[in-house]
Amino acid sequence: LRNRTIPVVELAGVLGSGGRAENQDDVTLVIASVAGQLSGLRVDRLGERMEVILKPLDGLLAGTPGVSGTTVLGDGRVLLVLDLGELLQ
């Protein structure tokens, strides 16, 4: 990235979900700066950008690694909000 090499993390691997078919020709990366360090997060796809009100996790989900909270979408679905600082350590 701009003549810099940055580490790339596979989101599926970090979250412990099953692998997917490897297609090295078409990769989507989210580039994030966490504590001043750039990292790439390899994702399957990108959704739309949205502003949300973050609610902390409680009950059975409290303390789930890599998740900072939840939000409720307009259609009633619950969206987990990832903690990039924890995922990209």
Side-chain angles (χ1 to χ4, degrees):
L1 177 68
R2 297 183 184 97
N3 296 322
R4 292 172 52 184
T5 301
I6 61 171
V8 174
V9 176
E10 178 81 34
L11 181 60
V14 171
L15 296 178
S17 67
R20 59 186 162 96
E22 292 294 320
N23 180 0
Q24 297 296 329
D25 295 334
D26 188 21
V27 174
T28 303
L29 293 177
V30 174
I31 307 298
S33 176
V34 176
Q37 296 288 85
L38 285 178
S39 296
L41 188 63
R42 184 174 176 181
V43 298
D44 292 333
R45 61 180 162 58
L46 296 174
E48 64 186 79
R49 182 183 174 121
M50 61 181 78
E51 293 185 29
V52 298
I53 297 174
L54 185 65
K55 298 178 183 178
L57 292 174
D58 60 357
L60 293 174
L61 294 177
T64 302
V67 179
S68 62
T70 62
T71 191
V72 179
L73 301 177
D75 62 4
R77 293 181 294 157
V78 175
L79 179 73
L80 293 176
V81 179
L82 299 178
D83 180 349
L84 292 182
E86 189 171 329
L87 292 176
L88 297 176
Q89 286 183 3

